[in-house]
Amino acid sequence: MNLFTRWLRSYGLMVTWELRSLRTVLPLAFVVQTMISSGLILGLGFLMHDITATQAQFLAVGVTVVSMITLGMVMAPQLIASQKQSGAYEYLLSLPVPRTTLIAAGLTVHSLIALPGAAVALLIAWLRYDIALSVSPIVIPAALLTLTTAASIGFALAHAIPNPMVTSLVTNVLIFVILFYAPINFPADRLPVWLASVHQVLPFGHSANLMRAGLTEGLASSVGVSFAVLGGWALASWSVTAWVVGRRA
Amino acid sequence: MTADPRDLVVRGLTKRYANGALANDRIDLHVHAGEVFGLLGPNGAGKTTLVKQIIGLLKPSAGSITLGREDFVANPDTARALCAYLPQGALPLSSFRLQEVVELVGRIRGGDAPAVRRRVDHLIAALELDEWRDTAGIELSGGTRRLAGFLMAAVWPAALVILDEPTNDVDPLRRRLLWRLIRQLAEDGSSVLLVTHNVLEAEQSVDRLAVIDKGRIVAMGTPSSLKAGDRQSLRLQLSLVPGVDPPAPPPFAHRPIRLGQRWHLGIDQSDAPEAIRWAQDRMAAGVAEEYVLGATTIEDLYIRLIGREDALDRAS
């Protein structure tokens, strides 16, 4: 077997490992994801009385994005943090597979498991607000990059922060940033100017922008910049994770 | 035994953590291929730190670790490929079924599916685990999880098998089956490095052992060579009445050690009758509750070396 087929074999086995090790968590994650999205769609609807067609589009895509990124950015690092606490993490590191397959398999699984819940979120929003969706092919790379980047950032947080308690704390703070302080469910011009400019370099608003480009018409701008920023975050996260996983204390 | 190109050789291994703690201090070890080598020591002695360096999870501060021609310090990937490892801590088993996870590890270790399946069937039968074959990890008892962990280390041949406390929580019957399988691993050509603080069990099961305390090796050899100095000796163990001042050790006793409410005294065989009289007098005087006179074991040596009661964990 050459190096690449050996890598692929290990990768396939580690994907199997990840899927099976998550099988008790997956149904629960799907339920929580669906509850959060339906709660947001219905609850924010109550808050924002007289919702306009544009606001409904923002909300529908926004809630889908929230659903897509919370599993990778919040649940994945919390799972890894608990693996670190129990010692199971070290066992994985002791397996005779290239460390890159550990990361790649984890990212693949944690990215894709968010899809069903996200699809349900979009469906609920569509049923509630009867929004006009206009799906373009850009939705595929947009969704893949959004999912991968979120999971990559989650992995980098979980691996780079030595104390699992701190990881849990950081990810809990992230939920609030995602829900209320990021231009995901509403346009960036609602935010104070300084916060809007911070979000030009953060991934959240760019994920939402890309998904709006893929699912609606006329609500997204500077799609190329969003691809670049998200790609940058994914690359940076991979580098951090690879460095942390590759080194020995 | 002579040196074999598959031997594990550790030279001058030193590990100082970032906080300054010296966990391993110039450790030298030579584990022969086909040998079961025990690593004994109390909690915090540095045993787990040592094995984590061998498997490549920790980087040594100084020293070398080689298996044959392979340099484990320079190439931790090679270490992971050649070593199978049962860690001391929890294993990620919760959502796996027992047979499934062992098979998956067998495939990850390089086995092809049919061969791994045959090997897993053999191992499950050998440990009499058939009834839990398809039970999810979360529903397994602590001992069965431990055995599943052992199977994950034993499922596919490895040059070095590292078992960190394999018998923890395992029932006495399956402990015996487990020891038989560990011996089989060695006979099949693996070196087995066995970490434990269960001294009596190790004495019966290992070919050679090293006692490690405060990061240093304080004794090494076969169980009988380590006991050689005690060959003419017996052990008198005296349990004191709580709250009573301990009696002065008798003149014929050597190396008296006090462990909480117990006195351990070394006794020459010729002094046995006198020792029994002395112990009975202490009981009659209300100083001692009971006494036991018996052959010395590795445990006596171990207590002497470590000199603390917390070092002890008796076989259940």
Side-chain angles (χ1 to χ4, degrees), chain A residues 9 21 23 90 95 249, chain B residues 52 59 73 80 95 100 107:
Chain A
R9 181 183 187 275
S21 69
R23 72 175 154 215
E90 262 190 352
L95 289 175
Chain B
K52 281 187 182 174
K59 190 175 186 178
V73 178
R80 286 185 287 127
S95 32
E100 165 190 74
R107 303 214 47 215

Side-chain angles (χ1 to χ4, degrees), chain B residues 78-240:
Chain B
T78 310
R80 286 185 287 127
L82 294 176
C83 301
Y85 176 47
L86 168 66
Q88 185 185 20
L91 290 156
L93 295 178
S94 307
S95 32
F96 289 96
R97 290 182 249 287
L98 190 151
Q99 173 177 348
E100 165 190 74
V101 71
V102 179
E103 279 186 12
L104 190 53
V105 172
R107 303 214 47 215
I108 289 170
R109 295 213 62 86
D112 63 281
V116 167
R117 168 63 64 93
R118 283 194 297 278
R119 171 80 177 150
V120 172
D121 283 342
H122 163 73
L123 289 171
I124 285 181
L127 283 179
E128 298 179 6
L129 291 174
D130 251 310
E131 60 180 298
W132 293 289
R133 196 181 268 269
D134 292 316
T135 307
I138 199 158
E139 291 163 18
L140 294 172
S141 70
T144 316
R145 286 170 75 97
R146 204 72 201 137
L147 292 171
F150 168 77
L151 295 184
M152 288 154 78
V155 61
W156 204 244
L160 177 66
V161 181
I162 301 173
L163 305 172
D164 200 340
E165 306 284 3
T167 57
N168 273 6
D169 301 328
V170 175
D171 66 71
L173 171 76
R174 285 202 177 73
R175 276 184 190 219
R176 291 162 76 157
L177 302 175
L178 179 59
W179 284 117
R180 201 180 296 162
L181 277 181
I182 292 173
R183 174 56 58 192
Q184 189 64 48
L185 288 177
E187 284 170 6
D188 290 345
S190 298
S191 307
V192 179
L193 184 60
L194 188 110
V195 179
T196 183
H197 51 226
N198 193 324
V199 184
L200 293 178
E201 212 171 50
E203 178 178 0
Q204 290 158 15
S205 319
V206 304
D207 298 311
R208 286 190 307 139
L209 59 91
V211 179
I212 178 168
D213 187 36
K214 300 191 182 91
R216 305 193 70 163
I217 289 188
V218 290
M220 182 151 46
T222 62
S224 36
S225 76
L226 288 174
K227 284 192 295 187
D230 292 329
R231 199 149 286 157
Q232 299 306 313
S233 295
L234 296 172
R235 167 227 271 197
L236 177 67
Q237 183 183 309
L238 196 69
S239 301
L240 302 174

Side-chain angles (χ1 to χ4, degrees), chain A residues 41 55-65 121-122 125-126 131 133:
Chain A
I41 291 160
Q55 281 172 337
Q57 279 178 311
F58 263 93
L59 193 56
V61 178
V63 170
T64 308
V65 170
L122 190 60
W126 180 69
I131 45 160
L133 287 180

Side-chain angles (χ1 to χ4, degrees), chain A residues 1 9-10 12-25 82-83 85-102 245-249, chain B residues 15 52-53 55-60 72-77 80-81 83 85-87 89-92 94-97 100-101 104-112 152-153:
Chain A
M1 259 194 285
R9 181 183 187 275
S10 297
L13 289 166
M14 291 320 293
V15 167
T16 310
W17 179 285
E18 284 284 339
L19 279 174
R20 290 188 186 169
S21 69
L22 286 174
R23 72 175 154 215
T24 49
V25 181
S82 72
Q83 284 182 341
Q85 267 173 326
S86 72
Y89 177 76
E90 262 190 352
Y91 181 74
L92 287 177
L93 291 185
S94 80
L95 289 175
V97 293
R99 294 269 165 88
T100 47
T101 63
L102 285 183
V245 173
R247 102 201 134 127
R248 282 170 293 167
Chain B
K15 176 65 183 177
K52 281 187 182 174
Q53 291 173 94
I55 191 83
L57 290 173
L58 287 174
K59 190 175 186 178
F72 280 8
V73 178
N75 306 306
D77 294 349
R80 286 185 287 127
C83 301
Y85 176 47
L86 168 66
L91 290 156
S94 307
S95 32
F96 289 96
R97 290 182 249 287
E100 165 190 74
V101 71
L104 190 53
V105 172
R107 303 214 47 215
I108 289 170
R109 295 213 62 86
D112 63 281
M152 288 154 78

Side-chain angles (χ1 to χ4, degrees), chain A residues 52-210:
Chain A
T52 67
T54 310
Q55 281 172 337
Q57 279 178 311
F58 263 93
L59 193 56
V61 178
V63 170
T64 308
V65 170
V66 169
S67 195
M68 288 166 84
I69 62 183
T70 39
L71 277 200
M73 214 181 277
V74 178
M75 191 187 86
Q78 290 185 350
L79 279 174
I80 295 172
S82 72
Q83 284 182 341
K84 274 189 176 177
Q85 267 173 326
S86 72
Y89 177 76
E90 262 190 352
Y91 181 74
L92 287 177
L93 291 185
S94 80
L95 289 175
V97 293
R99 294 269 165 88
T100 47
T101 63
L102 285 183
I103 304 170
L107 284 179
T108 309
V109 171
H110 282 277
S111 302
L112 296 182
I113 58 176
L115 270 179
V120 169
L122 190 60
L123 181 72
I124 296 171
W126 180 69
L127 290 173
R128 168 69 179 80
Y129 292 112
D130 193 23
I131 45 160
L133 287 180
S134 118
V135 181
S136 85
I138 210 171
V139 75
I140 293 170
L144 285 178
L145 192 58
T146 296
L147 290 165
T148 315
T149 306
S152 306
I153 294 171
F155 268 52
L157 284 174
H159 287 98
I161 301 174
N163 185 343
M165 303 274 283
V166 177
T167 309
S168 294
L169 202 69
V170 170
T171 51
N172 283 329
V173 170
L174 266 180
I175 296 179
F176 287 97
V177 173
I178 291 167
L179 285 180
F180 302 115
Y181 297 100
I184 294 178
N185 290 311
F186 46 79
D189 57 25
R190 300 264 182 94
L191 290 171
V193 177
W194 69 268
L195 188 53
S197 42
V198 170
H199 274 292
Q200 286 178 358
V201 292
L202 293 180
F204 314 104
H206 290 288
S207 288
N209 188 46
L210 282 185

Side-chain angles (χ1 to χ4, degrees), chain B residues 234-239 263 265 279 283 290-295:
Chain B
L234 296 172
R235 167 227 271 197
L236 177 67
Q237 183 183 309
L238 196 69
S239 301
W263 268 103
L265 309 170
M283 283 172 67
E290 63 168 4
Y291 74 93
V292 179
L293 186 66

